Amino acid sequence: MKIGISLDMVNVHHQEPNRNRYESKYYWDELYPMIATAGFRAVEIPFDPFWIFRGGSGVPFTKYCIEVKFETVAKFVAHLQANGIEKVAGIHFNPTIFMRNENLDFYFGASGYFGGEAIRYAAELGCDYIAITPTPPYGLVQHYHGKNPTWEGDFMNRTIQLINGFAKVAQEKGIKISLRNEYWSVLRSQDYQTFLSQLDDSIHFNIDSANLSIAGQNSTELLKNNASKIGSIYLTDTAFMDDNETWKTPLPEYPQHRATQVFKDIGLGKVDLSGFCQTLKEINYDGWAIVSNRQTREPMRALLRSRKTISDLAGVAFDIEISE
């Protein structure tokens, strides 16, 4: 199993004291060697179209930002390697940003365009895969389109077309697509097998440990039953239990029923990561497992927590060489 860490630990969307430092190149130039020092030699980069309109920043979440600061993607990759990061394992593309009105043409048009951009960016970075969030949260789509009694069927039919379009571009670029499992997805209300039967055979799954836990799914059974189709893994943690159907709300990652956060730094939640990784070992999974601390308040400390947790797991659940 190959271990990397996601740059989603740097949350550039929510305000806090001095948050604007996250937008500065100096912050990222300090972060990259820290990632390597913490023992992570590979990263995943969230692709965020918002930063196409903030090209002066140092945020590496779009090709446009990179070209402003580094001139070319190749020079950015060389910069990472010079700071101890040997590989950009993958990209994560989430089209939820485009679910903002009652115009489905806008959503699917923007998602198709920027999804293609994300795949091409992944190819230039030398990634192995792109993890794709297949739908926005169920409650968010329902909020804008619930007046249409056939909205779910209409939305899913166009989603299938969208993903199959991505598959064509990805195959041309030599990139594997992994569809994420998220407990709030529109897919949760669908016949999943029927959905999968209409997707291109090249599509794989991305399995997220915290999302499985929140949805109450049996991770051992799911991993074993889908071993041949797993494209990438997220090692995530949570102590959240969805006992109020939070998944049906417009912003399920920020529960409206109580003040809490859904995700925790790995090792601080209640997910059985040891059992999860043991199952990955049993099915001989040898792909990427990406540590994600997407709601951390302290990226630098999250690095150290993650290193400790991965080191502990390596001793009991799976074989991995941790860089010293």
Side-chain angles (χ1 to χ4, degrees):
M1 192 184 331
K2 297 173 287 188
I3 299 290
I5 193 164
S6 176
L7 299 185
D8 66 2
M9 63 185 169
V10 183
N11 191 327
V12 292
H13 285 293
H14 295 88
Q15 295 298 322
E16 61 181 48
N18 300 315
R19 189 211 61 86
N20 61 342
R21 71 192 188 282
Y22 292 165
E23 298 184 26
S24 302
K25 184 174 180 291
Y26 78 82
Y27 177 84
W28 294 89
D29 284 346
E30 181 182 21
L31 179 64
Y32 297 138
M34 296 295 182
I35 291 172
T37 300
F40 295 99
R41 301 291 178 166
V43 296
E44 180 187 278
I45 298 178
F47 181 88
D48 190 342
F50 174 81
W51 295 98
I52 284 182
F53 309 106
R54 300 290 293 273
S57 74
V59 179
F61 294 171
T62 67
K63 179 182 175 181
Y64 179 65
C65 288
I66 291 304
E67 289 178 336
V68 168
K69 293 298 184 182
F70 294 93
E71 296 183 347
T72 67
V73 174
K75 288 183 179 180
F76 172 63
V77 172
H79 181 71
L80 293 179
Q81 292 172 344
N83 283 282
I85 298 175
E86 300 167 358
K87 174 79 172 176
V88 180
I91 290 285
H92 173 215
F93 173 64
N94 184 347
T96 297
I97 188 175
F98 305 121
M99 181 52 62
R100 56 178 57 193
N101 56 45
E102 297 180 357
N103 186 348
L104 276 182
D105 290 338
F106 170 80
Y107 169 78
F108 284 105
S111 297
Y113 175 80
F114 285 106
E117 287 294 295
I119 294 169
R120 287 184 279 272
Y121 182 38
E124 287 195 57
L125 287 166
C127 298
D128 293 337
Y129 70 88
I130 178 168
I132 294 178
T133 290
T135 83
Y138 177 94
L140 185 61
V141 185
Q142 184 184 49
H143 172 75
Y144 287 114
H145 302 284
K147 296 176 183 177
N148 175 6
T150 64
W151 76 266
E152 289 192 60
D154 296 343
F155 184 82
M156 290 311 303
N157 287 336
R158 296 189 68 173
T159 295
I160 290 167
Q161 295 175 27
L162 178 71
I163 294 171
N164 284 337
F166 289 156
K168 182 178 180 180
V169 178
Q171 289 178 68
E172 292 172 352
K173 295 296 183 180
I175 301 292
K176 179 189 297 181
I177 288 182
S178 295
L179 291 186
R180 291 203 61 186
N181 70 299
E182 291 166 328
Y183 83 96
W184 52 66
S185 171
V186 176
L187 294 178
R188 186 163 174 179
S189 67
Q190 301 294 305
D191 180 343
Y192 200 58
Q193 293 305 315
T194 298
F195 168 74
L196 293 178
S197 69
Q198 299 177 73
L199 295 182
D200 190 274
D201 289 340
S202 66
I203 302 293
H204 287 70
F205 305 139
N206 168 276
I207 309 297
D208 181 306
S209 56
N211 273 281
L212 286 181
S213 175
I214 296 169
Q217 294 180 279
N218 185 315
S219 62
T220 299
E221 181 179 312
L222 187 143
L223 290 170
K224 289 183 176 180
N225 289 344
N226 297 282
S228 65
K229 292 291 288 183
I230 299 175
S232 59
I233 293 290
Y234 276 114
L235 297 177
T236 49
D237 210 347
T238 185
F240 179 70
M241 296 295 292
D242 187 11
D243 49 15
N244 285 297
E245 293 193 317
T246 298
W247 73 276
K248 291 184 177 181
T249 61
L251 294 173
E253 194 169 342
Y254 304 93
Q256 66 185 31
H257 303 294
R258 60 185 185 276
T260 187
Q261 66 184 71
V262 170
F263 299 103
K264 292 182 175 291
D265 293 5
I266 65 166
L268 297 183
K270 297 181 179 180
V271 174
D272 180 12
L273 291 172
S274 178
F276 185 81
C277 290
Q278 181 62 45
T279 303
L280 292 175
K281 180 179 179 180
E282 291 173 6
I283 64 175
N284 297 313
Y285 176 71
D286 62 356
W288 285 103
I290 302 296
V291 174
S292 172
N293 298 303
R294 60 188 287 169
Q295 286 189 323
T296 191
R297 293 179 173 86
E298 304 166 296
M300 298 296 187
R301 186 171 292 181
L303 277 174
L304 297 180
R305 289 171 177 151
S306 299
R307 167 59 190 264
K308 179 183 185 304
T309 301
I310 292 298
S311 297
D312 291 345
L313 289 171
V316 298
F318 61 98
D319 301 318
I320 178 175
E321 179 180 344
I322 300 291
S323 300
E324 299 295 342

